[in-house]
């Protein structure tokens, strides 16, 4: 089926734009960048139609990438239903965001560079979901990390942007450390890295091995999908242009961790301990990030913490064994979070770069299309039935209740907080009186058409795409008691969050500030993101750099090792400096020494009794 | 005729010549003089070789003498060349000034 | 006489011709470029006629050289040394090109030494006679000493002397061990000695074996350099001219790792296994230590030099896993390091030619002034930190996978180095290329010119090729390393079977 065409097309776009793009006009750059993604999307559609029901995974072998003894890594691509879902989300949402970006980036420098990176990202993301072995998945995994680094640091003359890029790459590397160790263990135990082989052998492996592998894979997923303790890079990643935040840091790349853990479901099914850890980390992240989201004033930061929080939900789904629900949330989240970010981008665009919620307000009238499309995302993320987020979040929470009621309750409270902070952002931006000194204008059609499409998907995505049904063969549904009370509770909490936000930011606007003043200490703690960055800086970064400089470099290298070597040299020189007195450089003194030596020799021979 | 002269006289002369050579080598500063002192020492040794050769009626001493003469000739050629170069480069023949190996 | 002899002696001939060229004309560099390119083409012929389907040595030449002691001019090439020779011949023209305008003083001699160095390096990888090997080992030392000492930066004399003394200290031990082996076996021939070991005609007592192993290993470990014998490397790199740094990092360090693989393992299998845990720990310390020290270097070349300590730690670690994947990864990593670190030094050299500084703080904003230079540097940086689809990833993966098969704890520690490599390289890249463009940089930072493109394109192509399709390179390596592994384990098993009194077994004469 020529699966390789799917990722190769964006790669070609990257190469053309990357090498020649500087000489291209903007429309030519657009044509190459969008054209390659359109072709890729169409090829995905054609492939999936041709493959039909996909009851069995479809595998294609291209070449052997690495071979060393028994260790063989093939370059194989595979499509099954899980991959199909991700392929459609990545190329579909990716295409919309590409189109949007042509409007958003129209007045930015480095236009061709931006689209080249975006295409490169598409390539790696598609390799990630198509790869038929852990190592190929890892190729895409690292590659999307690279593109994330490049795009976060897109404005490379700004130090905060490049700092954020470095942070993203390095924190992800810490996650990859876990992922790669997991791969090494997988090969050590199963003699293969190919999914089909690994999963066949995994079901008969010892539990502690699978638990270790599962936990190490989870470390990798925590890095890429921004979970505790490695979530710190994602909020900073908002330094990149907004379409990047939508595509990479909301809709696709950050869900790679969910894809990987869902793909490894066989391992987690046999390692319940590791799965529980995932669920706990997921719910803790969801709650923590949601609370931070309440206090942020930068509209993109609010949505960034929201992303971290929603990814936490997906992990709750994975950890509770409801892989299909997790993947479903990936899909719906891709719709509504991409929409929120693109909408935020549209607002920022309208206000000429303003990102602070405190300087917005009253945009409902000025940018009606943006407002109404973002409303779709608002109701979707708040869990209002029957919109997209309601279905997937509800499926996750129901599974979580089966797994552990405690996780369910934290999850429900988080749902309320979610509804609250999104409503807060919406009220602050679109309601009330304008607070800034801007002259807002609605975005051009090339930007609002993708918004509209995503809006429709956010509203209807839930009942249109029944992902758990589609993935039934891969992830058998877990038996859960039909408990309508759970649904009522989460819906009620969602409405309560919206209502509270309305009360605090529309009905009685002073209330939020007075509440913040009343609860100064906790507010400061949350506003400063629990001081996690500062904690990492003080406990890891500073000791590492300082220790390396003072102890290792100046101490061990220059002091101990060179000191020892130089010490040996110095002793040798001391001996030499005594001996060199003989070598005066004066020829006549040498001659005198020769004479002295000759006489001494004769005297000694005489004393010894002469030569016989 | 020669037999009238005792061997010790030749050897004494050789020793005196050698000592003169050594003294010249040690105490003169002109390179040329030093060089000539070396030649003097070599010839003093040649004298004792010839003496012993005659005394013991053996040809070995003569052989050695020829060797020494060849070496001395070669040495004179190389040595004079060096001396010329030294003089060209430094403008002096004082042996104490040629000490760039020091330090 | 065959193609191999030709490849070996062409650089020597080119060296002699270079010496005869008129002084102070452009002829030196032109000749060096033409001849080194020709040598590269000749070595490609070697690749074409190399039979990939058989392991072991090919193109063997064996001519008696000295009657007593019995020294032969014995050379041949195997699946590992083939690539290292190609690496040497590939990088020499590149070194000529990066020195093209930089070396003005005594240019003819510079290029002559470069060619002499190439001769020595090829010889080291080819020699099958221990004495001949020693001769080539020392031949490499001399031109590098002069390249650093004459054309280096301010503290060049110190660096050159340090380099020379460290290497000499090791090679004296090695010479002693070689002579001891000759006394025991009456031959310098490496295949003959391995043969005797394999058939049990030569058995070392455990103490004897350990001492001999250490004598060889220390000489090689200094060259690698293995922690804690590495302190000559940063000084030598910082002071050397770009071409010297490239040859030093890319090929000379591989003399050490190749020799460990080729000599230490088959000759002293028991001792290799006995010392492996200690050496692996040193290698891991080197990986982490080199990375941490790189993190805080204010000087670009020093940073890259310490990163070499870290990367070469992976190579040594891979060798002492005694796993197929580990050995293959180690060899692949040698080649990768040759390409990507060579490219890093070349690119740092290009920056130095423009801004006349190696200090990171003197740069900033280069990406604005010279976008292509920055792009190329970025690709090289990414290769160096092991991004998939670029060369280093394959090597690191194989080494770590091999280590995981041998001892999983080692893998955990070694993999930390992969995190740290991202830290130091990206941090340097940020400080040099990103940020606001200063006036100093702005006026001295033209983008790549055609000559510089000719330097970087082959390197980038190799990085991508080796990363995407490693099957072009790995099969001959695997054949050879599998043989080394077999020799190592056979010789060990013989030792295990041999009774304790086996040390009294008289040595069979070689002839």
């Amino acid at each position: 089926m020529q699966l390789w065409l799917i990722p190769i097309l964006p790669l070609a776009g990257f190469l053309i734009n990357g090498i020649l793009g500087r000489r291209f006009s903007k429309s030519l750059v657009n044509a190459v960048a969008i054209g390659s993604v359109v072709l890729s999307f169409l090829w995905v559609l054609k492939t999936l139609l041709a493959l039909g029901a996909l009851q069995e995974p479809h595998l294609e072998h291209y070449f052997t990438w690495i071979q060393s003894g028994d260790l063989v890594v093939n370059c194989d691509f595979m499509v099954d239903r899980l991959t199909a879902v991700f392929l459609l989300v990545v190329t579909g949402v990716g295409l919309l965001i590409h189109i949007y970006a042509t409007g958003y980036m129209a007045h930015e420098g480095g236009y061709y560079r931006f689209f080249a990176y975006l295409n490169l990202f598409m390539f790696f993301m598609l390799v990630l979901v198509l790869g038929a072995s852990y190592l190929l998945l890892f190729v895409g995994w690292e590659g999307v990390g690279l593109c994330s680094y490049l795009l976060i640091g897109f404005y490379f003359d700004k130090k905060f942007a490049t700092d954020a890029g470095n942070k993203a790459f390095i924190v992800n590397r810490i996650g990859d450390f876990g992922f790669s160790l997991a791969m090494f263990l997988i090969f050590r135990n199963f003699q293969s890295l190919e999914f089909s082989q690994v999963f066949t052998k995994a079901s008969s492996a010892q539990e502690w091995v699978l638990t270790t592998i599962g936990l190490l894979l989870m470390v990798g997923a925590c890095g890429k999908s921004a979970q505790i303790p490695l979530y710190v890079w994602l909020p900073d990643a908002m330094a990149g242009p907004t379409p990047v935040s939508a595509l990479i840091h909301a809709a696709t790349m950050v869900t790679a961790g969910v894809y990987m853990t869902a793909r490894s479901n066989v391992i987690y099914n046999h390692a319940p301990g590791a799965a529980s850890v995932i669920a706990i980390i997921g719910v803790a992240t969801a709650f923590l990030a949601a609370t931070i989201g309440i206090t942020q004033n930068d509209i993109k930061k609010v949505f960034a913490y929201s992303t971290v929080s929603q990814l936490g939900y997906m992990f709750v789904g994975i950890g509770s064994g409801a892989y299909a629900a997790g993947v479903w949330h990936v899909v719906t989240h891709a719709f509504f979070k991409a929409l929120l970010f693109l909408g935020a981008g549209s607002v920022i665009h309208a206000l000429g770069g303003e990102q602070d919620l405190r300087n917005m307000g009253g945009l409902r009238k000025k940018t009606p299309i943006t407002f109404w499309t973002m409303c779709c995302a608002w109701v979707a993320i708040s869990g209002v039935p029957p919109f997209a987020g309601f279905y997937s979040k509800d499926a996750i929470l129901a599974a979580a209740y089966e797994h552990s009621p405690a996780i369910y309750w934290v999850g429900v409270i988080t749902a309320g907080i979610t509804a609250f902070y999104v409503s807060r952002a919406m009220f602050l931006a679109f309601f009330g009186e304008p607070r800034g000194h801007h002259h807002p204008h609605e975005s051009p059609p090339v930007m609002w058409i993708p918004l509209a499409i995503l809006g429709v998907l956010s509203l209807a995505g839930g009942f249109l795409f029944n992902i758990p049904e589609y993935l039934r063969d891969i992830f058998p549904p877990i038996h859960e008691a039909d408990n309508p009370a759970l649904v009522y509770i989460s819906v009620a909490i969602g409405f309560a969050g919206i209502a509270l936000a309305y009360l605090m930011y529309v009905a009685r606007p002073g209330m939020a500030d007075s509440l913040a003043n009343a609860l100064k200490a906790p507010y400061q703690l949350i506003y400063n993101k629990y001081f996690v960055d500062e904690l990492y800086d003080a406990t890891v970064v500073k000791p590492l750099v300082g220790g390396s400089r003072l102890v290792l470099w100046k101490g061990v290298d220059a002091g101990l090792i060179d000191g020892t070597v130089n010490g040996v040299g110095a002793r040798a020189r001391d001996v030499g400096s005594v001996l060199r007195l003989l070598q005066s450089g004066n020829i006549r003194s040498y001659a005198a020494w020769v004479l002295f030596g000759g006489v001494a020799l004769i005297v000694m021979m005489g004393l010894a009794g002469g030569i016989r | 005729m020669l037999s009238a002269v005792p061997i010790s006289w030749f050897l004494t002369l050789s020793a005196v010549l050698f000592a003169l050579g050594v003294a010249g080598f040690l105490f003169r500063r002109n390179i040329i003089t030093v060089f000539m002192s070396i030649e003097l020492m070599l010839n003093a040794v040649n004298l004792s070789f010839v003496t012993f050769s005659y005394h013991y009626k053996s040809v070995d001493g003569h052989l050695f003498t020829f060797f020494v003469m060849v070496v001395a000739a070669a040495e004179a050629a190389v040595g004079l060349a060096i001396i010329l170069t030294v003089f060209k480069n430094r403008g002096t023949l004082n042996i104490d000034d040629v000490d760039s190996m020091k330090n | 006489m065959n193609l191999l002899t030709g490849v070996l002696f062409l650089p020597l001939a080119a060296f002699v011709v270079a010496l005869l060229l008129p002084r102070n004309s452009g002829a030196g560099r032109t000749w060096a470029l033409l001849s080194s390119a020709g040598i590269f083409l000749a070595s490609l012929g070697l690749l074409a006629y190399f039979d990939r389907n058989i392991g072991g040595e090919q193109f063997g030449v064996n001519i008696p050289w000295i009657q007593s002691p019995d020294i032969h001019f014995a050379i041949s090439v195997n699946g590992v040394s083939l690539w290292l020779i190609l690496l040497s011949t590939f990088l020499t023209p590149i070194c000529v090109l990066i020195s093209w305008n930089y070396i003005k003083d005594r240019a003819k001699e510079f290029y002559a030494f470069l060619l002499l160095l190439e001769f020595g390096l090829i010889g080291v990888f080819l020699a099958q006679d221990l004495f001949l090997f020693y001769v080539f080992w020392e031949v490499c030392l001399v031109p590098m000493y002069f390249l650093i000492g004459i054309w280096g930066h301010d503290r060049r004399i110190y660096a050159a002397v340090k380099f020379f003394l460290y290497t000499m200290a090791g090679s004296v031990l090695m010479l002693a061990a070689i002579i001891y082996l000759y006394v025991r076996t009456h031959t310098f021939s490496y295949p003959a000695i391995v043969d005797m070991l394999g058939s049990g005609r030569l058995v070392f007592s455990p103490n004897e074996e350990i001492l001999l192993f250490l004598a060889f290993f220390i000489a090689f470990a200094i060259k690698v350099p293995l922690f804690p014998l590495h302190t000559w490397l940063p000084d030598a790199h910082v002071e050397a001219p770009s071409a010297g740094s490239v040859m030093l990092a890319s090929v000379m360090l591989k003399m050490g790792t190749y020799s460990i693989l080729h000599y230490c393992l088959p000759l002293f299998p028991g001792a290799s296994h006995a010392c492996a845990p200690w050496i692996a720990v040193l290698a891991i310390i080197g990986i982490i230590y080199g990375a941490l020290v790189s993190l805080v270097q204010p000087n670009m070349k020093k940073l890259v030099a310490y990163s070499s300590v870290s990367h070469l730690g992976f190579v040594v670690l891979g060798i002492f896993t005694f796993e197929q994947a580990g050995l293959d990864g180690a060899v692949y990593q040698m080649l990768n390091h040759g390409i990507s670190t060579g490219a890093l030094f070349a690119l740092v050299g290009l920056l130095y030619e423009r801004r006349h500084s190696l200090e990171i703080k003197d740069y900033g904003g280069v990406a604005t002034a010279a976008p292509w230079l920055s792009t190329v540097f970025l690709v090289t940086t990414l290769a160096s930190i092991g991004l998939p689809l670029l060369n280093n990833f394959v090597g690191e993966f194989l080494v770590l996978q091999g280590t995981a098969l041998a001892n999983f704890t080692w893998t955990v520690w070694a993999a930390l180095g992969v995190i740290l490599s991202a830290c130091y390289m990206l941090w340097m890249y940020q400080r040099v290329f990103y940020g606001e463009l200063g006036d100093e940089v702005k006026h001295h930072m033209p983008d790549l010119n055609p000559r510089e493109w000719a330097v970087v394109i082959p390197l980038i192509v190799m990085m991508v090729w080796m990363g995407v399709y490693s099957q072009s390179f790995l099969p001959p390596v695997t054949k050879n390393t599998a043989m080394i592994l077999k020799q190592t384990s056979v010789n060990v098993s013989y030792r295990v079977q041999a009774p304790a009194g086996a040390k009294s077994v008289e040595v069979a004469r070689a002839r």
Side-chain angles (χ1 to χ4, degrees), chain C residues 240-422:
Chain C
S242 299
S245 289
V246 172
M247 286 313 266
L248 184 61
S250 300
V251 195
M252 279 194 94
L253 304 188
K254 311 307 177 301
M255 288 162 57
T257 47
Y258 171 77
S259 306
I260 291 175
L261 183 70
H262 192 70
Y263 293 100
C264 282
L265 257 55
L267 284 180
F268 316 109
S272 301
H273 278 277
C275 296
W278 301 96
I279 294 166
V281 167
L282 283 181
I284 290 168
I285 293 177
I287 291 171
I288 296 176
Y289 177 90
L292 284 176
V293 177
S294 291
L295 203 59
V296 293
Q297 292 306 317
N299 179 305
M300 283 190 276
K301 267 191 162 181
K302 233 173 182 165
L303 191 152
V304 182
Y306 275 108
S307 84
S308 291
V309 176
S310 185
H311 284 157
L312 270 294
F314 278 103
V315 177
V316 175
L317 181 65
I319 292 175
F320 283 93
T321 57
F322 303 107
E323 292 284 344
Q324 182 70 53
L327 258 67
D328 287 349
V331 174
Y332 210 62
Q333 196 61 359
M334 289 184 212
L335 306 173
N336 290 333
H337 180 263
I339 298 287
S340 50
T341 304
L344 272 181
F345 275 120
L347 289 167
V348 169
L350 297 186
L351 285 174
Y352 181 81
E353 270 185 61
R354 289 164 163 74
R355 179 73 178 79
H356 297 292
S357 170
L358 290 172
E359 299 294 315
I360 293 174
K361 65 175 164 46
D362 290 338
Y363 290 86
V366 175
T368 314
W372 280 118
L373 176 60
S374 313
T375 308
V376 171
F377 204 105
L378 181 67
V379 175
T380 313
T381 301
L382 294 172
S384 172
I385 64 182
L387 200 87
L389 301 189
L390 294 172
N391 53 359
N392 274 38
F393 175 76
V394 179
E396 270 173 19
F397 169 74
L398 284 173
V399 166
L400 289 172
Q401 185 64 70
T403 316
L405 295 174
N407 185 330
F408 194 71
T409 321
W410 293 351
T411 321
V412 177
W413 288 101
L416 281 177
V418 180
I419 302 181
L420 292 171
S421 72

Side-chain angles (χ1 to χ4, degrees), chain A residues 260-606:
Chain A
M260 188 261 279
T261 42
R263 178 61 80 198
S264 313
N265 62 80
V266 179
I267 291 173
Y268 288 109
N269 284 339
H270 292 86
S276 294
V277 174
I278 290 190
I280 291 165
I281 283 190
V283 79
T285 311
F287 180 76
L288 188 91
T291 54
I292 300 176
I294 301 175
T295 57
Q296 296 303 307
N297 289 322
D298 183 328
I299 187 168
K300 285 179 73 182
K301 281 269 162 77
V302 174
F303 294 145
Y305 280 104
S306 166
T307 306
V308 175
S309 174
Q310 296 296 314
L311 289 165
Y313 273 116
M314 299 171 203
F315 274 78
V316 172
I318 302 281
S320 310
Y323 305 104
V327 174
W328 201 4
H329 203 54
V330 167
V331 176
T332 56
H333 177 258
F335 298 150
F336 62 69
K337 188 52 65 61
L339 177 52
L340 281 179
F341 268 114
L342 295 184
S346 174
V347 168
I348 295 166
H349 194 72
L351 296 177
E354 180 63 60
Q355 299 198 10
D356 197 324
L357 283 169
R358 288 168 297 190
N359 298 334
M360 296 179 180
L363 288 171
R364 189 172 30 148
K365 305 250 168 46
K366 309 278 187 182
T367 59
I369 304 173
T370 307
F371 170 67
W372 285 110
T373 50
M374 276 183 87
C375 280
C376 304
W378 180 18
V379 292
I381 192 175
S382 304
V384 176
F387 306 121
F390 163 76
Y391 286 94
S392 50
K393 193 187 287 183
D394 211 59
I396 288 174
L397 287 175
Y401 189 77
E402 290 297 307
H403 191 73
S404 148
I407 292 178
Y408 167 79
W409 284 111
V410 180
V412 167
I413 294 168
T414 308
I417 302 175
T418 307
F420 176 79
Y421 66 70
V422 177
S423 309
R424 168 178 175 264
M426 292 297 291
F427 290 135
L428 282 177
F430 291 102
F431 290 77
E433 293 303 312
R435 288 183 291 272
H437 308 281
H438 308 287
H439 301 286
H441 54 89
E442 183 57 278
S443 300
V446 72
M447 285 169 73
W448 67 252
I449 290 172
L451 288 183
I453 297 173
L454 284 170
V456 172
L457 288 170
S458 300
L459 293 181
F463 50 84
L464 227 52
F465 309 120
N466 192 343
I467 302 290
E469 192 55 38
Y470 183 65
L471 298 179
R472 178 175 283 276
D473 291 342
I474 308 177
F475 308 126
I478 43 176
H479 299 288
E480 49 197 46
D482 196 22
N483 197 343
L486 299 180
V487 180
Y488 298 137
I489 292 173
S490 64
V491 171
I493 291 260
F495 277 114
I498 299 175
L500 187 64
Y502 182 79
L503 180 70
M504 284 173 68
Y505 295 99
V506 181
R508 300 179 53 191
M511 197 173 153
D513 288 338
S514 53
L515 206 62
N517 283 329
L519 302 168
K520 206 157 188 86
Y523 178 78
Q524 283 298 328
L525 179 68
I526 297 174
Y527 181 73
N528 288 301
K529 308 149 200 163
Y530 300 100
F531 296 101
V532 172
D533 280 336
E534 288 78 3
L535 184 74
Y536 286 175
D537 196 48
T539 55
V540 181
V541 180
K542 286 229 163 66
L544 208 63
V545 173
S548 302
R549 180 174 290 131
L550 294 176
V551 179
L552 294 183
W553 184 29
K554 302 283 186 200
V556 176
D557 229 54
L560 196 65
I561 299 174
D562 266 2
T564 312
V565 174
N566 289 343
V568 172
R571 292 297 84 71
R573 202 172 306 170
D574 288 348
V575 176
S577 66
V578 175
L579 290 178
R580 75 188 271 272
L581 294 178
L582 296 176
Q583 307 279 328
S584 61
N586 185 321
I587 295 177
R588 290 184 301 127
S589 84
Y590 292 155
W593 279 110
V594 171
L595 181 67
F596 173 78
V599 170
L601 214 63
I602 291 169
V603 169
M604 275 161 62
M605 283 200 298

